[in-house]
Amino acid sequence: MGIFSRLTDIINSNLNSILDRAEDPEKIIRLVIQEMEDTLVEVRSTAAKTIAEKKESARKLGRLEDAQRNWEEKAELALSKGREDLAKGALVEKAKMAEAAELLKEELEELDAMLAQGEADIAKLESKLREAKAKQQALTARHETASSRLKVRRNLYDGRVDEAFARFEQVEKKLDEAEGEVEAFDLGRGKSLAEEISELAAESAIEDELAALKAKVAAGKAGPKAAPKSADGE
């Protein structure tokens, strides 16, 4: 069953109200768009038939106008030949053509009115269809955003994440224990001969560097002695 029952329902529709009442807005907007597109096809088809009828009626009107001129010429010819009876008959036929032409003119006016209304309906339908498609895009964007946020929230509050962190902590704990065992082996163990000699060499190098630095500082403080001046100032 369609959302709308006639063209005026679509034109006068309030999409916001329809979607607010819907349990499944995305499904409803798809149905609305489909029905609008189907109705637009029907309205355009009707307009195309009306245009064809108008063209046919215009051709008929042209033929009737030609026939009126033709009967008038015949009436003039009959009068010029003294045949008033034939002239009257020709004028009667002309009057028939004129009456038929008037009916066709009225029909053309009705067809013009129908085309104008059809054009207005198409414009309104297209406007409503654009509105519906914009609503659909907005709903799709909202749905995608909500889905992404839901996925993030599920990951944040997923128990598997907590389990993974718990496993990491267990691994770190085991590493701490292994490192503790290595350090425990070094506790209470004396230094090796090579280690002691290495330390002595390092200390000797530092002491030598320190002595050299002291000598340099002392020399800087003493400074060069000034030579005594002569009596003549030279």
Side-chain angles (χ1 to χ4, degrees):
M1 182 177 179
I3 305 297
F4 308 111
S5 59
R6 56 188 183 277
L7 177 63
T8 53
D9 285 347
I10 296 177
I11 293 174
N12 297 325
S13 65
N14 185 326
L15 291 180
N16 288 329
S17 177
I18 293 173
L19 295 176
D20 287 342
R21 297 195 307 268
E23 293 182 3
D24 188 350
E26 288 188 270
K27 177 181 178 181
I28 292 299
I29 198 67
R30 286 196 299 270
L31 293 174
V32 165
I33 289 173
Q34 183 63 54
E35 192 162 354
M36 285 183 176
E37 289 176 340
D38 292 344
T39 304
L40 187 58
V41 170
E42 293 175 4
V43 173
R44 287 188 182 279
S45 177
T46 300
K49 291 178 181 178
T50 303
I51 291 172
E53 290 177 12
K54 180 182 175 181
K55 290 182 177 180
E56 178 63 24
S57 296
R59 285 194 294 269
K60 288 181 180 179
L61 179 60
R63 289 194 292 268
L64 287 173
E65 289 174 345
D66 290 340
Q68 289 179 69
R69 286 190 292 271
N70 189 25
W71 283 113
E72 185 173 354
E73 290 172 359
K74 288 179 180 180
E76 290 176 357
L77 177 62
L79 282 176
S80 66
K81 300 298 182 180
R83 295 293 304 273
E84 187 174 336
D85 56 331
L86 293 179
K88 287 181 179 180
L91 291 176
V92 169
E93 292 299 322
K94 178 188 174 183
K96 290 180 182 179
M97 298 296 104
E99 183 178 358
E102 286 300 319
L103 291 175
L104 269 178
K105 287 179 181 178
E106 292 177 3
E107 182 179 334
L108 280 169
E109 289 177 358
E110 292 177 359
L111 290 174
D112 283 336
M114 289 174 62
L115 280 175
Q117 184 60 50
E119 185 177 2
D121 289 342
I122 288 172
K124 292 176 182 178
L125 264 174
E126 289 179 335
S127 176
K128 284 290 183 180
L129 186 56
R130 286 193 297 270
E131 180 185 351
K133 288 183 176 180
K135 297 281 186 188
Q136 185 182 40
Q137 291 178 349
L139 284 174
T140 301
R142 287 175 59 189
H143 178 76
E144 291 176 353
T145 301
S147 298
S148 298
R149 292 177 64 188
L150 181 60
K151 184 177 180 180
V152 170
R153 293 294 177 87
R154 283 175 176 170
N155 287 334
L156 286 175
Y157 297 103
D158 192 346
R160 291 174 297 178
V161 175
D162 295 334
E163 291 175 2
F165 279 112
R167 287 196 295 271
F168 289 150
E169 291 178 357
Q170 291 175 358
V171 171
E172 289 179 341
K173 184 178 180 181
K174 289 182 179 180
L175 287 173
D176 291 340
E177 291 175 353
E179 290 173 351
E181 290 180 7
V182 172
E183 294 176 5
F185 277 112
D186 294 334
L187 293 176
R189 186 173 67 87
K191 297 179 180 178
S192 67
L193 180 61
E195 289 174 343
E196 290 182 358
I197 293 174
S198 178
E199 288 180 1
L200 286 174
E203 290 177 1
S204 177
I206 290 174
E207 289 176 357
D208 291 344
E209 186 176 356
L210 181 60
L213 184 60
K214 287 180 178 180
K216 182 178 179 181
V217 171
K221 287 182 178 180
K225 293 184 179 180
K229 293 183 180 180
S230 62
D232 57 359
E234 291 182 0

